[in-house]
Amino acid sequence: MPVFIFANQAGLDMLETTLVALQDITLDKIFDESGRRALFADFAKLMQQGFAYLPAGICMSTMGRHVSYDQAIAWKVLAEEDNSVHCLAFSFINWSFV
């Protein structure tokens, strides 16, 4: 299961965590069932095209608070050495605590 390795301050605020604790978070702890389905439905497109737009949804902070977002964007980050996929990055648009 993928883990989070970096977030800017807005991402840390949304997830209610610290940069050190971020590595203990997995996607299944953040996305609800519909969020995971949306991500997995677009996973092939993400890997082929390099990015994917995910629909509005609800995710969960590490403190158990629900967070709504209008849209999310996921994209591949490539390793410089061999152009392999290093990780996936996410941006959550217009998020707020519910």
Side-chain angles (χ1 to χ4, degrees), residues 44-55:
K45 178 180 173 182
L46 169 62
M47 297 309 286
Q48 179 183 21
Q49 187 173 297
F51 68 95
Y53 294 101
L54 305 176

Side-chain angles (χ1 to χ4, degrees), residues 2-15:
V3 296
F4 291 85
I5 58 172
F6 175 79
N8 63 15
Q9 189 60 54
L12 295 174
D13 292 346
M14 183 187 97
L15 296 173

